[in-house]
Amino acid sequence: MAMSESSEKEKDGSGLTFWDHLDVLRGVILRCLAVVLLFTVIAFCLKEEIFDVVLAPKSPDFILYRLLSELSAHLGFSVVDTFDVALINTGLAQQFMIHMKTAFCVGLIVASPYILHQLFGFVSPALYEKERKYSVRLLAGGYLMFLVGVALSYFIIFPLTFRFLGTYQVSAEVTNLITIESYMSVLIMLCLFMGIMCELPVLSYIATKAGIIDSGFLKKYRRHAILVILVVCAIITPTSDAFTLLIVSLPIWLLYEASILISRKAV
């Protein structure tokens, strides 16, 4: 009986049993959920302010279009034409559900630093001091790069994609009526895509440390990578002008070049 209780309460190096760890994890999850719920409720109440930001890229007065107009005026050619794309709703409860989903996404984004802090606090006792330092750097770097990718999508990729697809017509007799659900789906998809793409330098660092790749490998396949970048950017922003394609491709190419430098220093 004594040996049974001893094996059930066997402790690890931190002095906690398996069930103690589960209790700690449950507390972490509950705290994270509570913070996400709190920020979700706040975001839900700030409907006007949040949707002013979310729907801004569909307006011809968006900051990207203003900058491109000023740039094209200096260069002597037109890049952005005036356009007007109206959003519609086709479901009885669709706008309310989109409001709730958007509030949840905003709440999750705002609470994400706290969530990462809580999760890292849970796993960090199992790491050595050197591993803990590397983990903090990678976690912070990966998080910041993901936010950079989301910003690139919101300010550059999505507006250009929406302008082209929202105004594209196979015939003047066919009018575009874009649903709010379609708008939000594409916005979220592109933000996630660019957020993941911006993890390329972090992944290159990890792969180099693991001995999977090195800077020479990335240099060798630079031309192939540039071709893939151009093809992918042409798909996600199928515009008819090379200038827009260049604007979209340039940040991703710079990320690839940054990956080469990071891989070289990580050796």
Side-chain angles (χ1 to χ4, degrees), residues 217-237:
F217 176 86
L218 295 176
K219 288 181 179 178
K220 179 181 178 181
Y221 290 98
R222 177 187 275 130
R223 294 182 179 179
H224 302 79
I226 293 175
L227 179 60
V228 171
I229 289 171
L230 290 173
V231 170
V232 171
C233 291
I235 292 174
I236 63 175
T237 56

PDB file of all heavy atoms in Angstrom, residues 217-237:
ATOM      1  N   PHE A 217      23.152  26.407 -48.579  1.00  0.00           N
ATOM      2  CA  PHE A 217      21.973  25.763 -49.178  1.00  0.00           C
ATOM      3  C   PHE A 217      20.959  26.804 -49.624  1.00  0.00           C
ATOM      4  O   PHE A 217      20.403  26.719 -50.733  1.00  0.00           O
ATOM      5  CB  PHE A 217      21.347  24.810 -48.155  1.00  0.00           C
ATOM      6  CG  PHE A 217      20.073  24.165 -48.611  1.00  0.00           C
ATOM      7  CD1 PHE A 217      20.090  23.003 -49.359  1.00  0.00           C
ATOM      8  CD2 PHE A 217      18.839  24.728 -48.283  1.00  0.00           C
ATOM      9  CE1 PHE A 217      18.910  22.406 -49.783  1.00  0.00           C
ATOM     10  CE2 PHE A 217      17.662  24.144 -48.700  1.00  0.00           C
ATOM     11  CZ  PHE A 217      17.697  22.974 -49.452  1.00  0.00           C
ATOM     12  N   LEU A 218      20.718  27.798 -48.782  1.00  0.00           N
ATOM     13  CA  LEU A 218      19.752  28.843 -49.124  1.00  0.00           C
ATOM     14  C   LEU A 218      20.239  29.693 -50.292  1.00  0.00           C
ATOM     15  O   LEU A 218      19.442  30.105 -51.144  1.00  0.00           O
ATOM     16  CB  LEU A 218      19.496  29.729 -47.895  1.00  0.00           C
ATOM     17  CG  LEU A 218      18.827  29.038 -46.705  1.00  0.00           C
ATOM     18  CD1 LEU A 218      18.726  29.985 -45.516  1.00  0.00           C
ATOM     19  CD2 LEU A 218      17.441  28.524 -47.090  1.00  0.00           C
ATOM     20  N   LYS A 219      21.551  29.954 -50.351  1.00  0.00           N
ATOM     21  CA  LYS A 219      22.105  30.705 -51.480  1.00  0.00           C
ATOM     22  C   LYS A 219      21.987  29.914 -52.778  1.00  0.00           C
ATOM     23  O   LYS A 219      21.686  30.473 -53.840  1.00  0.00           O
ATOM     24  CB  LYS A 219      23.567  31.047 -51.217  1.00  0.00           C
ATOM     25  CG  LYS A 219      23.790  32.119 -50.174  1.00  0.00           C
ATOM     26  CD  LYS A 219      25.286  32.379 -50.021  1.00  0.00           C
ATOM     27  CE  LYS A 219      25.548  33.463 -48.997  1.00  0.00           C
ATOM     28  NZ  LYS A 219      27.005  33.698 -48.814  1.00  0.00           N
ATOM     29  N   LYS A 220      22.242  28.626 -52.689  1.00  0.00           N
ATOM     30  CA  LYS A 220      22.209  27.767 -53.877  1.00  0.00           C
ATOM     31  C   LYS A 220      20.837  27.781 -54.536  1.00  0.00           C
ATOM     32  O   LYS A 220      20.714  27.783 -55.764  1.00  0.00           O
ATOM     33  CB  LYS A 220      22.602  26.343 -53.480  1.00  0.00           C
ATOM     34  CG  LYS A 220      22.571  25.354 -54.640  1.00  0.00           C
ATOM     35  CD  LYS A 220      22.957  23.960 -54.170  1.00  0.00           C
ATOM     36  CE  LYS A 220      22.886  22.959 -55.317  1.00  0.00           C
ATOM     37  NZ  LYS A 220      23.243  21.584 -54.862  1.00  0.00           N
ATOM     38  N   TYR A 221      19.785  27.797 -53.708  1.00  0.00           N
ATOM     39  CA  TYR A 221      18.420  27.744 -54.238  1.00  0.00           C
ATOM     40  C   TYR A 221      17.736  29.114 -54.192  1.00  0.00           C
ATOM     41  O   TYR A 221      16.510  29.188 -54.187  1.00  0.00           O
ATOM     42  CB  TYR A 221      17.595  26.722 -53.448  1.00  0.00           C
ATOM     43  CG  TYR A 221      18.021  25.296 -53.719  1.00  0.00           C
ATOM     44  CD1 TYR A 221      18.888  24.633 -52.840  1.00  0.00           C
ATOM     45  CD2 TYR A 221      17.590  24.622 -54.857  1.00  0.00           C
ATOM     46  CE1 TYR A 221      19.299  23.335 -53.085  1.00  0.00           C
ATOM     47  CE2 TYR A 221      17.993  23.320 -55.107  1.00  0.00           C
ATOM     48  CZ  TYR A 221      18.852  22.677 -54.218  1.00  0.00           C
ATOM     49  OH  TYR A 221      19.251  21.390 -54.469  1.00  0.00           O
ATOM     50  N   ARG A 222      18.522  30.205 -54.209  1.00  0.00           N
ATOM     51  CA  ARG A 222      17.954  31.543 -54.174  1.00  0.00           C
ATOM     52  C   ARG A 222      17.084  31.808 -55.403  1.00  0.00           C
ATOM     53  O   ARG A 222      15.973  32.334 -55.297  1.00  0.00           O
ATOM     54  CB  ARG A 222      19.052  32.592 -54.081  1.00  0.00           C
ATOM     55  CG  ARG A 222      18.531  34.017 -54.120  1.00  0.00           C
ATOM     56  CD  ARG A 222      19.671  35.004 -54.197  1.00  0.00           C
ATOM     57  NE  ARG A 222      20.208  35.324 -52.887  1.00  0.00           N
ATOM     58  CZ  ARG A 222      21.494  35.288 -52.572  1.00  0.00           C
ATOM     59  NH1 ARG A 222      22.378  34.878 -53.467  1.00  0.00           N
ATOM     60  NH2 ARG A 222      21.898  35.653 -51.379  1.00  0.00           N
ATOM     61  N   ARG A 223      17.575  31.450 -56.596  1.00  0.00           N
ATOM     62  CA  ARG A 223      16.810  31.695 -57.825  1.00  0.00           C
ATOM     63  C   ARG A 223      15.500  30.923 -57.813  1.00  0.00           C
ATOM     64  O   ARG A 223      14.462  31.441 -58.235  1.00  0.00           O
ATOM     65  CB  ARG A 223      17.643  31.315 -59.046  1.00  0.00           C
ATOM     66  CG  ARG A 223      18.871  32.194 -59.259  1.00  0.00           C
ATOM     67  CD  ARG A 223      19.609  31.780 -60.504  1.00  0.00           C
ATOM     68  NE  ARG A 223      20.782  32.615 -60.740  1.00  0.00           N
ATOM     69  CZ  ARG A 223      21.626  32.454 -61.747  1.00  0.00           C
ATOM     70  NH1 ARG A 223      21.427  31.474 -62.626  1.00  0.00           N
ATOM     71  NH2 ARG A 223      22.668  33.255 -61.881  1.00  0.00           N
ATOM     72  N   HIS A 224      15.565  29.684 -57.340  1.00  0.00           N
ATOM     73  CA  HIS A 224      14.338  28.886 -57.256  1.00  0.00           C
ATOM     74  C   HIS A 224      13.354  29.518 -56.282  1.00  0.00           C
ATOM     75  O   HIS A 224      12.140  29.569 -56.542  1.00  0.00           O
ATOM     76  CB  HIS A 224      14.671  27.463 -56.802  1.00  0.00           C
ATOM     77  CG  HIS A 224      15.649  26.748 -57.693  1.00  0.00           C
ATOM     78  ND1 HIS A 224      16.997  26.987 -57.626  1.00  0.00           N
ATOM     79  CD2 HIS A 224      15.462  25.807 -58.664  1.00  0.00           C
ATOM     80  CE1 HIS A 224      17.617  26.223 -58.510  1.00  0.00           C
ATOM     81  NE2 HIS A 224      16.714  25.500 -59.151  1.00  0.00           N
ATOM     82  N   ALA A 225      13.884  30.021 -55.160  1.00  0.00           N
ATOM     83  CA  ALA A 225      13.021  30.651 -54.154  1.00  0.00           C
ATOM     84  C   ALA A 225      12.360  31.903 -54.705  1.00  0.00           C
ATOM     85  O   ALA A 225      11.172  32.151 -54.469  1.00  0.00           O
ATOM     86  CB  ALA A 225      13.835  30.985 -52.902  1.00  0.00           C
ATOM     87  N   ILE A 226      13.117  32.718 -55.444  1.00  0.00           N
ATOM     88  CA  ILE A 226      12.556  33.940 -56.034  1.00  0.00           C
ATOM     89  C   ILE A 226      11.438  33.598 -57.007  1.00  0.00           C
ATOM     90  O   ILE A 226      10.389  34.263 -57.037  1.00  0.00           O
ATOM     91  CB  ILE A 226      13.657  34.752 -56.728  1.00  0.00           C
ATOM     92  CG1 ILE A 226      14.639  35.301 -55.686  1.00  0.00           C
ATOM     93  CG2 ILE A 226      13.055  35.895 -57.542  1.00  0.00           C
ATOM     94  CD1 ILE A 226      15.838  36.012 -56.284  1.00  0.00           C
ATOM     95  N   LEU A 227      11.646  32.550 -57.810  1.00  0.00           N
ATOM     96  CA  LEU A 227      10.600  32.133 -58.754  1.00  0.00           C
ATOM     97  C   LEU A 227       9.346  31.693 -58.019  1.00  0.00           C
ATOM     98  O   LEU A 227       8.224  32.065 -58.394  1.00  0.00           O
ATOM     99  CB  LEU A 227      11.128  30.988 -59.640  1.00  0.00           C
ATOM    100  CG  LEU A 227      10.138  30.419 -60.660  1.00  0.00           C
ATOM    101  CD1 LEU A 227       9.690  31.507 -61.636  1.00  0.00           C
ATOM    102  CD2 LEU A 227      10.754  29.245 -61.408  1.00  0.00           C
ATOM    103  N   VAL A 228       9.524  30.917 -56.944  1.00  0.00           N
ATOM    104  CA  VAL A 228       8.377  30.454 -56.153  1.00  0.00           C
ATOM    105  C   VAL A 228       7.662  31.643 -55.523  1.00  0.00           C
ATOM    106  O   VAL A 228       6.423  31.706 -55.502  1.00  0.00           O
ATOM    107  CB  VAL A 228       8.836  29.448 -55.074  1.00  0.00           C
ATOM    108  CG1 VAL A 228       7.693  29.144 -54.113  1.00  0.00           C
ATOM    109  CG2 VAL A 228       9.351  28.177 -55.721  1.00  0.00           C
ATOM    110  N   ILE A 229       8.421  32.604 -55.012  1.00  0.00           N
ATOM    111  CA  ILE A 229       7.834  33.800 -54.397  1.00  0.00           C
ATOM    112  C   ILE A 229       6.991  34.562 -55.408  1.00  0.00           C
ATOM    113  O   ILE A 229       5.860  34.984 -55.116  1.00  0.00           O
ATOM    114  CB  ILE A 229       8.946  34.703 -53.819  1.00  0.00           C
ATOM    115  CG1 ILE A 229       9.568  34.050 -52.590  1.00  0.00           C
ATOM    116  CG2 ILE A 229       8.385  36.073 -53.458  1.00  0.00           C
ATOM    117  CD1 ILE A 229      10.802  34.750 -52.087  1.00  0.00           C
ATOM    118  N   LEU A 230       7.504  34.743 -56.619  1.00  0.00           N
ATOM    119  CA  LEU A 230       6.764  35.470 -57.652  1.00  0.00           C
ATOM    120  C   LEU A 230       5.474  34.739 -58.029  1.00  0.00           C
ATOM    121  O   LEU A 230       4.426  35.363 -58.215  1.00  0.00           O
ATOM    122  CB  LEU A 230       7.637  35.667 -58.889  1.00  0.00           C
ATOM    123  CG  LEU A 230       8.803  36.646 -58.737  1.00  0.00           C
ATOM    124  CD1 LEU A 230       9.688  36.618 -59.979  1.00  0.00           C
ATOM    125  CD2 LEU A 230       8.280  38.065 -58.498  1.00  0.00           C
ATOM    126  N   VAL A 231       5.559  33.413 -58.143  1.00  0.00           N
ATOM    127  CA  VAL A 231       4.376  32.625 -58.508  1.00  0.00           C
ATOM    128  C   VAL A 231       3.319  32.711 -57.408  1.00  0.00           C
ATOM    129  O   VAL A 231       2.126  32.940 -57.685  1.00  0.00           O
ATOM    130  CB  VAL A 231       4.760  31.153 -58.774  1.00  0.00           C
ATOM    131  CG1 VAL A 231       3.508  30.289 -58.919  1.00  0.00           C
ATOM    132  CG2 VAL A 231       5.625  31.046 -60.011  1.00  0.00           C
ATOM    133  N   VAL A 232       3.759  32.539 -56.156  1.00  0.00           N
ATOM    134  CA  VAL A 232       2.817  32.597 -55.033  1.00  0.00           C
ATOM    135  C   VAL A 232       2.172  33.968 -54.934  1.00  0.00           C
ATOM    136  O   VAL A 232       0.955  34.105 -54.749  1.00  0.00           O
ATOM    137  CB  VAL A 232       3.526  32.228 -53.718  1.00  0.00           C
ATOM    138  CG1 VAL A 232       2.618  32.496 -52.525  1.00  0.00           C
ATOM    139  CG2 VAL A 232       3.952  30.768 -53.732  1.00  0.00           C
ATOM    140  N   CYS A 233       2.979  35.025 -55.078  1.00  0.00           N
ATOM    141  CA  CYS A 233       2.448  36.391 -54.984  1.00  0.00           C
ATOM    142  C   CYS A 233       1.513  36.695 -56.148  1.00  0.00           C
ATOM    143  O   CYS A 233       0.535  37.434 -55.992  1.00  0.00           O
ATOM    144  CB  CYS A 233       3.589  37.401 -54.947  1.00  0.00           C
ATOM    145  SG  CYS A 233       4.544  37.350 -53.419  1.00  0.00           S
ATOM    146  N   ALA A 234       1.804  36.132 -57.320  1.00  0.00           N
ATOM    147  CA  ALA A 234       0.918  36.329 -58.468  1.00  0.00           C
ATOM    148  C   ALA A 234      -0.431  35.651 -58.245  1.00  0.00           C
ATOM    149  O   ALA A 234      -1.464  36.108 -58.745  1.00  0.00           O
ATOM    150  CB  ALA A 234       1.576  35.776 -59.729  1.00  0.00           C
ATOM    151  N   ILE A 235      -0.431  34.573 -57.451  1.00  0.00           N
ATOM    152  CA  ILE A 235      -1.676  33.854 -57.166  1.00  0.00           C
ATOM    153  C   ILE A 235      -2.505  34.595 -56.117  1.00  0.00           C
ATOM    154  O   ILE A 235      -3.714  34.784 -56.279  1.00  0.00           O
ATOM    155  CB  ILE A 235      -1.372  32.418 -56.682  1.00  0.00           C
ATOM    156  CG1 ILE A 235      -0.773  31.606 -57.830  1.00  0.00           C
ATOM    157  CG2 ILE A 235      -2.649  31.746 -56.165  1.00  0.00           C
ATOM    158  CD1 ILE A 235      -0.307  30.229 -57.411  1.00  0.00           C
ATOM    159  N   ILE A 236      -1.852  35.036 -55.030  1.00  0.00           N
ATOM    160  CA  ILE A 236      -2.610  35.665 -53.950  1.00  0.00           C
ATOM    161  C   ILE A 236      -2.982  37.106 -54.270  1.00  0.00           C
ATOM    162  O   ILE A 236      -3.918  37.651 -53.691  1.00  0.00           O
ATOM    163  CB  ILE A 236      -1.836  35.613 -52.619  1.00  0.00           C
ATOM    164  CG1 ILE A 236      -0.533  36.417 -52.708  1.00  0.00           C
ATOM    165  CG2 ILE A 236      -1.564  34.187 -52.220  1.00  0.00           C
ATOM    166  CD1 ILE A 236       0.216  36.496 -51.392  1.00  0.00           C
ATOM    167  N   THR A 237      -2.254  37.753 -55.195  1.00  0.00           N
ATOM    168  CA  THR A 237      -2.607  39.110 -55.632  1.00  0.00           C
ATOM    169  C   THR A 237      -2.591  39.142 -57.154  1.00  0.00           C
ATOM    170  O   THR A 237      -1.664  39.676 -57.763  1.00  0.00           O
ATOM    171  CB  THR A 237      -1.610  40.155 -55.090  1.00  0.00           C
ATOM    172  OG1 THR A 237      -0.282  39.784 -55.505  1.00  0.00           O
ATOM    173  CG2 THR A 237      -1.660  40.250 -53.600  1.00  0.00           C
TER     174      THR A 237
END
